[in-house]
Amino acid sequence: MADPEFDVVVIGSGPGGYVAAIRAAQHGLKVACIEKRDRLGGTCLNVGCIPSKALLHGSEYYAEAQSGALAKFGVKLGSVELDLPALLGEKDKAVKELTDGIAYLFKKNKVEWVAGEASFVDAKSVKVGDRLLTAKNFIIATGSEVALLPGMVPDGEVIVTSTEALDLDKVPEHLVVIGGGYIGLEMGSVWRRLGARVTVIEYAERIVPAMDVEVATAFAKVLKKQGFEIRTATKVTGVVRDGAGAAVTIEPAAGGASETIAADIVLLSVGRRPNTDGLNIEATGLTLDRGRIIVAKDFSTPVPGIWAIGDVVPGPMLAHKAEDEGLACADNIAGLTGYVNHDVIPAVVYTHPEVATVGKTEEELKAAGTAYKVGKFPFAGNSRAKTNRDTEGFVKVLADAATDRVLGVHIIGAMAGTMIAEAAIAMEFGASSEDIALTCHAHPTHPEALKEAAMAVTGKPIHI
Ligand code: FAD
């Protein structure tokens, strides 16, 4: 039998797939990456992380200008107008530049980009159109797709998913978001800032249910202050087109009287499901577990030569988790020791204020019977936040009661997403809260609030 054409074929070019392909090529392996979209970058770059952050950034400028908040800093504006096509255009430019950037990196690293949909013939070969690609190793990085509720079918115009919510051609009067997870809240924030009335319907008792309860409660309070209507413990029983808009029927999650809400746009945002559609995965001998591919610590599957990473395997559906798995998987294929510490994966909600978490929540520690100490520090005591006139939120450090090792950090505040990296590094190195407290932090900066929260673990913060 002829030698396989490639050492590694990666299926899917999202943050998991493209990073794995480049790293494998850096190890001197012959690599191809198959992508069915006409652009590289997967969900994250095309319809996820990047376009949503572009809209969050632009809409925040608009909201600040429009609210008059800049006047106190001496910036006096005349009338402020929204140019939605310009905002959407800037988002599209960012997406194009970043996806083109991956094509450049593929060329630079000699990764062959194969355009089309991959379908396994057997565990050693895939078909893409008329072409058959054989490889010693396949990395499945086919990501995820929007999850849908039974009976709620998006039409792409009025009943939409996050993909269309990134491209609405006008600001809706009333946007109803079904699902109070981070994607729904970020997209809700964009359109709220641009002037929409936004109602969030969440089945669970609170929004972002997996988040530390104290932080999630503070978060809901801030969003309500910003004008969000949040209906928790509420079930959506139907969504139908109604004239130019839609009618959303809801009832209490525990049962009770139903109510109908009129919406211009309904955003279905109840989560994402692992995607192996069209892959003919059965031909490899692999079986799925609730749609997911189960992998070992090294990202191998039970079928020799087949590996999987990113949203298609268990764990949080986040781009940086997919990237790190891509790096580790490629290292393992090259005979090195790639590893991802799944206990230290930060997660960020890019609203204003941002919410960022890493490690265990207080509820998880209680459930596990772990004795812990808490240190908290509000941004109202942080000089930089005060100077910026943006003091909403706090930092919460959870440390082991016996060893003082940091077990979790939860932040709600303007710079939470950037600050969480320091907490992740500390946890990766097994730091104690005292280690953070004794580390010199530049002044005046937001991260000083993390230092003070660490100092608060022993009850001795200075600025509160
Ligand atoms: P994906 O990025 O989904 O890429 C998979 C690729 O595989 C796709 O391009 C698909 O076309 C391709 N593919 C699938 N099947 C085949 C096939 N048979 N043949 C060829 N190609 C195939 N995460 C964050 O960390 N931060 C954020 O701020 C963030 N914001 C988000 C905002 C939104 C609106 C959404 C929807 C998601 C967001 N995410 C964010 C999640 C993030 O996008 C995903 O976790 C990440 O993209 C997963 O990467 P992946 O490589 O596993 O798969």
Side-chain angles (χ1 to χ4, degrees), residues 104-125:
Y104 159 79
L105 292 174
F106 271 10
K107 262 200 195 125
K108 183 178 157 203
N109 288 282
K110 302 194 174 43
V111 172
E112 185 185 343
W113 169 7
V114 178
E117 183 166 19
S119 168
F120 277 103
V121 175
D122 53 38
K124 296 284 169 214
S125 55

Side-chain angles (χ1 to χ4, degrees), residues 356-358 360 395-397 406-411 420 423 427 450:
T357 72
V358 64
K360 301 282 184 230
V395 181
K396 175 172 176 179
V397 173
V406 178
L407 302 174
V409 175
H410 307 275
I411 309 174
I420 205 69
M427 287 179 64
L450 174 59

Side-chain angles (χ1 to χ4, degrees), residues 12-170:
S13 72
Y18 87 75
V19 165
I22 292 173
R23 174 51 63 89
Q26 286 172 339
H27 287 315
L29 301 173
K30 188 176 179 207
V31 183
C33 181
I34 307 170
E35 175 53 59
K36 67 179 180 186
R37 265 199 179 89
D38 51 11
R39 281 204 299 223
L40 299 172
T43 304
C44 175
L45 274 78
N46 289 286
V47 292
C49 330
I50 297 303
S52 59
K53 265 79 259 178
L55 293 186
L56 280 159
H57 186 69
S59 62
E60 197 170 343
Y61 277 152
Y62 174 74
E64 276 187 13
Q66 216 250 355
S67 69
L70 299 177
K72 62 181 174 234
F73 293 103
V75 183
K76 285 202 172 168
L77 298 166
S79 72
V80 176
E81 249 177 80
L82 174 66
D83 181 349
L84 185 57
L87 173 57
L88 298 179
E90 202 55 27
K91 169 208 51 142
D92 293 340
K93 242 164 74 185
V95 169
K96 182 166 182 343
E97 281 169 21
L98 287 163
T99 53
D100 286 353
I102 299 175
Y104 159 79
L105 292 174
F106 271 10
K107 262 200 195 125
K108 183 178 157 203
N109 288 282
K110 302 194 174 43
V111 172
E112 185 185 343
W113 169 7
V114 178
E117 183 166 19
S119 168
F120 277 103
V121 175
D122 53 38
K124 296 284 169 214
S125 55
V126 294
K127 229 173 32 183
V128 182
D130 294 337
R131 184 169 169 192
L132 189 75
L133 285 88
T134 56
K136 290 184 195 149
N137 298 281
F138 288 93
I139 302 178
I140 302 175
T142 45
S144 60
E145 286 291 341
V146 174
L148 296 174
L149 290 173
M152 289 167 215
V153 186
D155 59 20
E157 283 175 11
V158 168
I159 305 169
V160 303
T161 70
S162 58
T163 301
E164 296 82 34
L166 292 164
D167 251 329
L168 300 181
D169 58 8
K170 65 175 200 283

Side-chain angles (χ1 to χ4, degrees), residues 201-209 231-235 253:
I201 316 285
E202 169 57 53
Y203 183 81
E205 292 288 322
R206 54 181 180 277
I207 55 167
V208 270
R231 310 275 298 256
T232 51
T234 302
K235 177 160 75 178

Side-chain angles (χ1 to χ4, degrees), residues 103-351:
Y104 159 79
L105 292 174
F106 271 10
K107 262 200 195 125
K108 183 178 157 203
N109 288 282
K110 302 194 174 43
V111 172
E112 185 185 343
W113 169 7
V114 178
E117 183 166 19
S119 168
F120 277 103
V121 175
D122 53 38
K124 296 284 169 214
S125 55
V126 294
K127 229 173 32 183
V128 182
D130 294 337
R131 184 169 169 192
L132 189 75
L133 285 88
T134 56
K136 290 184 195 149
N137 298 281
F138 288 93
I139 302 178
I140 302 175
T142 45
S144 60
E145 286 291 341
V146 174
L148 296 174
L149 290 173
M152 289 167 215
V153 186
D155 59 20
E157 283 175 11
V158 168
I159 305 169
V160 303
T161 70
S162 58
T163 301
E164 296 82 34
L166 292 164
D167 251 329
L168 300 181
D169 58 8
K170 65 175 200 283
V171 179
E173 287 272 322
H174 186 199
L175 171 68
V176 171
V177 180
I178 302 179
Y182 81 93
I183 293 176
L185 296 173
E186 287 184 3
M187 295 316 305
S189 273
V190 166
W191 295 106
R192 173 81 201 114
R193 290 169 189 172
L194 299 180
R197 181 183 150 210
V198 175
T199 303
V200 177
I201 316 285
E202 169 57 53
Y203 183 81
E205 292 288 322
R206 54 181 180 277
I207 55 167
V208 270
M211 195 179 267
D212 187 275
V213 172
E214 191 177 12
V215 176
T217 307
F219 186 29
K221 224 160 123 186
V222 178
L223 292 176
K224 281 180 190 160
K225 244 193 328 195
Q226 292 173 6
F228 273 78
E229 290 164 53
I230 299 179
R231 310 275 298 256
T232 51
T234 302
K235 177 160 75 178
V236 177
T237 54
V239 180
V240 287
R241 284 289 293 258
D242 184 18
V248 181
T249 311
I250 58 173
E251 64 180 46
S258 71
E259 179 187 336
T260 299
I261 309 177
D264 303 281
I265 299 284
V266 179
L267 167 58
L268 301 176
S269 183
V270 292
R272 297 184 60 83
R273 62 165 179 89
N275 168 43
T276 51
D277 299 352
L279 203 53
N280 194 28
I281 202 152
E282 307 76 37
T284 65
L286 265 184
T287 48
L288 300 175
D289 172 75
R290 283 171 289 156
R292 305 168 307 175
I293 300 175
I294 301 298
V295 286
K297 278 265 173 217
D298 63 355
F299 306 101
S300 62
T301 69
V303 178
I306 301 207
W307 311 71
I309 55 169
D311 280 8
V312 80
V313 306
M317 289 185 169
L318 293 169
H320 42 280
K321 178 251 190 195
E323 282 185 47
D324 282 11
E325 290 183 347
L327 291 173
C329 181
D331 286 354
N332 288 327
I333 289 173
L336 305 170
T337 315
Y339 177 75
V340 177
N341 179 3
H342 285 100
D343 289 335
V344 184
I345 308 273
V348 181
V349 190
Y350 296 86
T351 45

